């Protein structure tokens, strides 16, 4: 075994570990979202993560991966359906990835697509029909996510322009968040969220400990997400990416807590968890392009700003139960644009993607590319999501009945309560 | 409504013969929002007149209830009894809309105790029902004469307060603070002055109790951060608004009440307490003036927040206030926050900072 083989084996091992870490983020989402929603929906909210991951694993293998990474045009990939030709090892009939072993990269990318769909579900929480999750999930995993992925990662038109989105602030997070936003808008607010005078009510999550543990699991999983996206070990660059990732998350936690204290008067725990996630979302695009100090700044800005936007959108009548649009959408935009300002010359040269940012003498070019990427991806996802969800709304309907919503989705969609001892059916009757 | 109308109203209340009439006169107070009085009369004068009317309405209701009870021959009238007020009524700080906060204390020989209790209990039910009929809602926290906690034979009341002062749980401290406001309204007021003196003595006799009461002044917190940003309610019907009662008024009155208790000041109105603290040299003239201004600001906003409608009493929309009002409110909140902190750390010395 020569050095090349050892290097190849190490890279393969690192990427599969990273894939497992990203898959473990599903557990993080399950805890985070179930903890942030009500007891009567807990089994449903947590359980749909398995539904989501199972669905994405099959659909992305069959179609999504080919559209994202297959040869095609600037708009989408057109080859490699069912990942045909992948045999493993050094020599496959086709090779889509920085790694020759397509099966490992497929697994890694499947995990990313599943994260994006999990984000989208956040906006649907506590009132969408199960069938909508399945239908929209399939379309999302075939058309929406893969096409944006192709534009930026699969050699599409944004990739050609040098857009910097290292691990997917736009591809994964903004895409999921825009779908969540459209879902939230078309579904409407949960029963009881807003008063007649349009003021919002609090619908507290049932278990803040779950929310916190979910946040920590996601933080850990993000090392696979960002550092794993180096898909190599030989130069140790993955360690640097892990460092910027961690620094941003830490800054996001503190910034969100400080912002919550300043704006709301209380050091809100959920705000702190969301601050961590927003910072991680933001550093996802920039983790390989920015210096450590800039990672702290980006994380702090994302953590602080998204606390404010979550309140702002709520005041404007948007019921986004787990603040998916703020945490993944606004932070995704912040993160994607951040390289336009902070991308350092030495790191851009090292990664070989795009140009240096405004603060490093690169002018507005990279910022313009990043902004174009955000706008184009956002508009595309919004348009397709709207069309699909609008058709679903007019045909099968998006939302469960008010009676089912009040009873809770655990009992109405799945037949059993997540907390049966606490939710005796006799207390859940609808008059 | 003009000041002269207040005087006419007082005369009419004094001559009223029925609860129905009193209800009618109570409703005249609702004309206050449309009154030119508001724009050119000092807030303290409005409160003084308003509370005088409230006192008279309640006194007349008690007289009517007492007269009716005597003819019913239920139990035995105690040798001494007094109907007293608690809360904002006791402090003469009621706005237009106000619920009931009251109790009855009495003295009775042991052999007549059951008969006295029967008389007083019947009286309590009658009075609170009449007050309710007039327009004073039942207290949601049940601080009323019909609650045995607040209607007792005087020695038993002191015993109960002694056990609160010994136990010092958060509820016990809350009861002591409520009790510390008691003001006689009808009957033998010497009874009330006597128990108030005893209450203050027993509180001051226990360093643990005073320490717990001092800790209690830290809440509710003034929702103003170090950058001067006012935090409104985040959720609910009043999202974006400020609860003037918990955000400014209560932090001020509780901290002043604490110092008044510590210095055996028997006045119950917060302004009178403040003046007494100044006269005793506990606070300086400068601090007195600052707190007085903040307190008057809180009374002004409490009055104005109660004018629109009953449901939204105490809530004001900060952003909808005039620039001058916002400035005054913020300044008062800043002072209240600072003062609350000073009382929390008060060590008995005259502090002029």
């Amino acid at each position: 075994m020569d050095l090349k083989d050892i290097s190849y084996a190490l890279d393969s091992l690192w990427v599969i570990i990273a894939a497992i870490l990203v898959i473990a983020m599903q557990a993080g989402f399950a805890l985070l979202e179930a903890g942030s929603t009500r007891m009567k929906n807990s089994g449903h909210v947590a359980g749909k993560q398995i539904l989501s991951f199972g669905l994405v694993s099959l659909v992305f293998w069959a179609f999504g991966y080919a559209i994202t990474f297959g040869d095609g045009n600037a708009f989408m990939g057109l080859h490699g359906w069912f990942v045909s030709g992948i045999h493993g090892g050094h020599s496959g009939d086709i090779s889509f990835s920085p790694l020759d072993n397509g099966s490992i990269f497929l697994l890694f990318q499947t995990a990313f697509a599943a994260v994006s769909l999990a984000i989208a579900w956040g906006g649907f929480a506590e009132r969408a029909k199960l069938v909508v999750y399945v239908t929209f999930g399939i379309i999302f995993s075939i058309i929406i996510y893969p096409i944006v992925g192709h534009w930026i990662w699969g050699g599409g038109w944004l990739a050609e322009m040098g857009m910097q989105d290292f691990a997917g602030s736009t591809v994964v997070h903004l895409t999921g968040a825009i779908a969540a936003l459209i879902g939230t808008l078309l579904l409407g607010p949960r029963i009881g969220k807003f008063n007649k005078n349009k003021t919002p009510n609090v619908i507290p999550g049932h278990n803040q400990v779950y929310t916190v543990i979910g946040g920590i699991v996601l933080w850990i999983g993000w090392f696979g997400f960002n550092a794993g996206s180096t898909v190599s070990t030989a130069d140790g660059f993955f360690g640097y990416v892990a460092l910027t990732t961690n620094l941003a998350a830490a800054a996001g936690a503190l910034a969100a807590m400080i912002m919550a204290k300043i704006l709301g008067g209380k050091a809100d725990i959920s705000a702190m968890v969301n601050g961590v996630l927003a910072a991680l979302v933001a550093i996802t695009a920039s983790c390989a392009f920015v210096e450590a100090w800039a990672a702290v700044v980006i994380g702090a800005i994302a953590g602080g700003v998204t606390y404010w936007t979550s309140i702002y959108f709520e005041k404007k009548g948007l019921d986004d139960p787990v603040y998916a649009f703020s945490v993944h959408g606004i932070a995704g935009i912040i993160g994607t644009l951040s390289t336009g300002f902070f991308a350092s010359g030495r790191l851009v040269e090292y990664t070989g993607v795009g140009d240096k940012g405004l603060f490093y003498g690169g002018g507005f070019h990279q910022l313009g590319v990043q902004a174009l990427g955000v706008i184009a991806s956002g508009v595309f996802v919004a348009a397709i999501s709207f069309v699909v969800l609008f058709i679903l709304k007019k045909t099968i309907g998006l939302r469960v009945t008010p009676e089912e919503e009040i009873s809770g989705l655990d009992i109405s969609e799945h037949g059993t309560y997540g907390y049966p001892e606490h939710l005796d059916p006799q207390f859940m009757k609808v008059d | 409504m003009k000041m002269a109308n207040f005087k006419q109203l007082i005369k009419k209340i004094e001559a009223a013969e029925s609860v129905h009439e009193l209800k009618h006169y109570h409703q005249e107070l609702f004309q206050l929002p449309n009154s030119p009085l508001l724009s050119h009369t000092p807030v303290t004068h409005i409160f003084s007149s308003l509370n005088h009317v409230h006192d008279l309405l309640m006194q007349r209701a008690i007289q009517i209830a007492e007269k009716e009870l005597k003819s019913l021959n239920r139990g035995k009238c105690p040798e001494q009894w007094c109907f007293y007020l608690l809360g904002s009524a006791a402090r003469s700080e009621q706005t237009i809309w106000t619920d009931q906060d009251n109790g009855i204390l009495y003295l009775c020989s042991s052999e007549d105790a059951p008969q006295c209790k029967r008389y007083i209990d019947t009286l309590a039910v009658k009075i609170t029902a009449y007050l309710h009929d007039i327009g004073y809602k039942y207290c949601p926290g049940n601080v009323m004469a019909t609650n045995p906690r607040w209607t007792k034979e005087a020695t038993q009341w002191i015993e109960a307060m002694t056990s609160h002062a010994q136990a010092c749980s958060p509820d016990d401290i809350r009861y002591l603070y409520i009790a510390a406001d008691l003001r006689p309204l009808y009957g033998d007021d010497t009874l009330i002055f006597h128990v108030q003196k005893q209450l203050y003595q027993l509180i001051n006799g226990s360093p643990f109790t005073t320490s717990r009461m001092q800790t209690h002044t830290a809440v509710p917190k003034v929702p103003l951060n170090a950058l001067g940003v006012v935090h409104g309610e985040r959720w609910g019907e009043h999202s974006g608004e400020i609860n003037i009662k918990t955000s400014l008024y209560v932090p001020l009155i509780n901290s002043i009440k604490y110092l008044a208790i510590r210095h055996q000041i028997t006045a119950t109105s917060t302004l009178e307490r403040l003046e007494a603290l100044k006269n005793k040299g506990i606070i300086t003239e400068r601090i007195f003036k600052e707190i007085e201004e903040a307190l008057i600001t809180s009374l002004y906003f409490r009055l104005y927040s109660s004018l629109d409608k009953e449901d939204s009493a105490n809530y004001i929309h900060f952003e909808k206030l005039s620039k001058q009002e916002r400035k005054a409110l913020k300044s008062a909140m800043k002072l209240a926050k600072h003062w609350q902190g000073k009382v929390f750390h008060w060590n008995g010395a005259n502090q002029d900072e």
Side-chain angles (χ1 to χ4, degrees):
Chain A
M1 186 179 269
D2 60 19
L3 273 174
K4 194 180 170 190
D5 291 328
I6 292 170
S7 175
Y8 170 77
L10 278 173
D11 289 351
S12 300
L13 188 63
W14 167 230
V15 176
I16 205 152
I17 289 170
I20 292 165
L21 279 169
V22 181
I23 291 166
M25 287 170 72
Q26 294 297 325
F29 280 115
L31 283 165
L32 180 88
E33 292 188 19
S36 304
T37 47
R38 286 165 291 183
M39 196 178 257
K40 63 184 180 181
N41 300 316
S42 57
H44 167 85
V45 170
K48 73 177 165 48
Q49 297 309 133
I50 290 181
L51 170 70
S52 163
F53 188 65
L55 196 144
V56 171
S57 295
L58 297 175
V59 173
F60 199 72
W61 160 72
F63 310 108
Y65 189 81
I67 293 171
T68 313
F69 295 103
D71 291 336
N73 52 40
F75 186 75
M76 62 188 284
L78 297 165
H79 296 280
W81 310 111
F82 297 92
V83 198
S84 57
I86 290 180
H87 301 300
H90 287 276
S91 56
D93 292 336
I94 52 170
S95 174
F96 303 129
S97 73
L99 283 179
D100 286 343
N101 190 338
S103 57
I104 293 177
F105 197 62
L106 166 66
L107 189 66
F108 187 52
Q109 288 302 327
T110 299
F112 275 60
V115 166
S116 193
L117 185 59
I119 293 160
W121 290 158
F124 292 64
E126 298 199 291
R127 64 241 199 257
K129 286 179 177 173
L130 192 66
V131 67
V132 171
Y133 285 104
V134 176
T135 317
F136 184 72
I138 291 169
I139 295 164
F140 182 90
S141 308
I142 295 175
I143 299 171
I144 298 174
Y145 175 86
I147 288 179
V148 176
H150 184 78
W151 291 357
I152 299 170
W153 288 346
W157 66 280
L158 285 169
E160 287 296 317
M161 293 179 77
M163 182 172 172
Q164 295 163 337
D165 187 10
F166 191 71
S169 286
T170 289
V171 175
V172 179
H173 296 278
L174 184 60
T175 300
I178 295 281
L181 175 66
I182 301 298
T184 296
L185 289 171
L186 286 174
L187 279 159
R190 289 167 292 175
I191 292 170
K193 178 62 190 175
F194 294 102
N195 298 306
K196 282 178 184 168
N197 64 1
K198 296 184 178 173
T199 50
N201 291 315
V202 61
I203 301 183
H206 84 281
N207 191 327
Q208 211 163 58
V209 179
Y210 280 4
T211 304
V212 170
I213 296 172
I216 294 170
V217 170
L218 286 167
W219 189 336
I220 294 167
W222 232 285
F223 292 112
F225 208 90
N226 287 2
S229 291
T230 58
V231 291
S232 71
T233 55
D235 54 4
F237 188 56
F238 69 101
Y240 179 76
V241 172
L243 173 70
T244 54
T245 301
N246 196 51
L247 287 173
L254 296 180
M257 181 156 257
I258 291 166
M259 193 62 115
K261 184 74 182 161
I262 290 172
L263 292 183
K266 299 284 180 191
D268 188 338
I269 296 295
S270 301
M272 184 175 64
V273 175
N274 281 338
V276 169
L277 300 182
L280 286 165
V281 168
I283 201 63
T284 293
S286 51
C287 52
F289 303 107
V290 300
E291 302 294 341
W293 67 267
V296 173
V297 174
I298 293 165
I301 290 171
V305 168
T306 53
Y307 174 76
W308 179 81
T309 57
S310 62
I311 294 174
Y312 176 79
F313 290 131
E314 190 175 64
K315 273 186 186 167
K316 293 291 170 191
L318 188 74
D319 180 20
D320 187 357
V322 294
Y323 302 114
F325 183 65
S326 281
V327 171
H328 298 275
I330 300 296
I333 294 168
I334 290 171
T336 307
L337 296 180
S338 72
T339 67
F341 295 100
F342 295 101
S344 89
R346 71 180 186 102
L347 291 165
V348 167
E349 193 179 330
Y350 185 81
T351 51
V353 180
D355 204 349
K356 58 191 175 188
L358 183 66
F359 298 154
Y360 287 85
F364 287 95
H365 170 73
Q366 193 60 41
L367 188 59
V369 172
Q370 299 301 107
L372 179 65
V374 164
I375 293 165
S377 305
V379 169
F380 173 76
V381 176
I384 304 290
S385 299
F386 181 81
V387 169
V388 173
L389 288 170
F390 189 76
I391 292 169
L392 289 176
K393 186 174 181 174
K394 294 295 173 191
T395 51
I396 57 174
L398 294 179
R399 194 163 174 152
V400 294
T401 64
E403 287 77 7
E404 287 170 326
E405 187 176 334
I406 288 165
S407 301
L409 298 176
D410 281 3
I411 198 74
S412 65
E413 291 280 20
H414 308 284
T416 52
Y417 284 113
Y419 292 86
E421 291 87 349
H422 290 83
L423 297 166
D424 188 323
Q426 69 171 314
F427 298 119
M428 301 299 292
K429 280 180 184 167
V430 180
D431 291 327
Chain B
M1 184 176 280
K2 297 176 184 169
M3 254 331 183
N5 292 1
F6 260 128
K7 284 177 187 164
Q8 285 171 13
L9 184 60
I10 286 165
K11 278 184 185 167
K12 286 192 279 187
I13 293 167
E14 283 170 344
E17 290 294 330
S18 70
V19 172
H20 183 73
E21 272 182 87
L22 292 173
K23 182 181 179 181
H24 178 71
Y25 298 141
H26 181 257
Q27 284 175 347
E28 285 195 19
L29 291 177
F30 305 155
Q31 294 169 12
L32 192 63
N34 306 317
S35 165
L37 180 72
L38 285 179
S39 55
H40 56 74
T41 310
V43 175
T44 47
H45 291 195
I46 297 174
F47 269 92
S48 173
S49 302
L50 197 56
N51 280 272
H52 185 50
V53 170
H54 282 309
D55 278 6
L56 279 178
L57 282 166
M58 288 190 258
Q59 280 166 344
R60 276 304 288 148
I62 296 166
Q63 281 171 347
I64 292 167
E66 187 187 23
K67 197 175 165 187
E68 284 182 12
L69 186 60
K70 276 180 180 163
S71 65
L72 287 176
N73 197 23
R74 294 262 173 86
K76 184 183 176 188
C77 181
E79 296 148 27
Q80 283 180 276
W81 70 274
C82 186
F83 186 92
Y84 65 93
L85 298 172
L86 294 165
S88 62
R91 295 189 300 271
S92 300
E93 289 159 7
Q94 292 171 104
T95 57
I96 296 173
W97 302 99
T98 180
D99 55 14
Q100 296 188 43
D101 286 306
N102 48 46
I104 302 174
L105 291 185
Y106 59 95
L107 273 181
C108 190
S109 61
S110 55
E111 60 266 29
D112 291 333
Q115 286 299 310
C116 289
K117 187 175 183 314
R118 190 173 176 226
Y119 178 89
I120 291 293
D121 285 351
T122 313
L123 184 64
V125 170
K126 218 171 219 334
I127 293 172
T128 52
Y130 284 172
L131 292 179
H132 183 260
D133 290 345
I134 292 168
Y136 299 100
K137 282 189 172 177
Y138 290 126
C139 172
N142 202 18
V143 181
M144 285 197 300
T146 44
N147 181 348
R149 188 188 302 285
W150 303 110
T151 292
K152 270 186 168 44
E153 206 277 329
T155 50
Q156 288 175 357
W157 192 86
I158 286 295
E159 279 169 23
M161 289 301 147
T162 307
S163 51
H164 289 317
Q166 285 165 352
C168 281
S169 75
D171 272 347
D172 292 305
I173 297 298
R174 198 166 57 83
Y175 294 142
L176 290 174
Y177 264 106
I178 292 171
D181 273 336
L182 82 175
R183 175 169 71 88
L185 181 74
Y186 184 89
D188 193 337
D189 52 13
T190 55
L191 189 59
I192 300 299
F193 296 138
H194 179 65
V195 295
Q196 187 191 29
K197 199 176 168 191
Q198 281 188 287
L199 173 67
Y200 284 19
Q201 278 171 355
L202 73 90
I203 290 172
N204 285 310
S206 161
F208 180 60
T209 310
T210 54
S211 157
R212 285 287 294 109
M213 290 189 79
Q214 187 170 15
T215 313
H216 192 84
T217 60
V219 287
K221 287 183 178 168
V222 180
L224 182 79
N225 71 21
L227 304 176
V229 178
V230 178
H231 308 131
E233 300 283 319
R234 181 165 174 194
W235 288 296
E237 295 266 357
H238 298 288
S239 173
E241 299 177 19
I242 301 167
N243 184 326
I244 195 70
K245 185 176 176 182
T246 55
S247 302
L248 177 62
Y249 175 67
V250 174
L252 279 172
I253 61 145
N254 268 3
S255 50
I256 294 164
K257 195 194 295 189
Y258 168 74
L259 289 183
I261 295 167
R262 290 305 313 274
H263 296 282
Q264 312 272 2
I265 292 164
T266 51
T268 53
S269 136
T270 310
L271 278 171
E272 284 172 9
R273 281 170 169 166
L274 199 59
E275 190 136 15
L277 285 168
K278 181 193 71 177
N279 294 339
K280 282 195 168 200
I282 312 301
I283 57 170
T284 62
E285 179 76 26
R286 189 179 65 81
I287 290 181
F288 166 77
K289 282 193 172 155
E290 283 177 357
I291 301 168
E292 185 191 37
E293 192 182 337
L295 186 65
I296 290 171
T297 304
S298 79
L299 292 173
Y300 167 87
F301 282 110
R302 247 170 78 75
L303 181 65
Y304 276 77
S305 68
S306 71
L307 295 182
D308 292 344
K309 53 179 181 178
E310 191 180 1
D311 292 345
S312 61
N314 289 320
Y315 284 97
I316 51 172
H317 212 297
F318 189 73
E319 300 303 328
K320 288 182 184 169
L321 297 176
S322 69
K323 197 178 173 186
Q324 198 182 355
E325 285 177 322
R326 282 207 299 267
K327 192 179 168 194
L329 179 56
K330 217 179 217 187
S331 167
M333 287 174 80
K334 197 175 167 189
L335 191 275
K337 190 175 182 177
H338 178 69
W339 170 248
Q340 195 179 29
K342 279 186 79 71
V343 172
F344 184 74
H345 296 291
W346 197 272
N347 59 15
N350 183 334
Q351 302 176 11
D352 187 6
E353 291 169 22

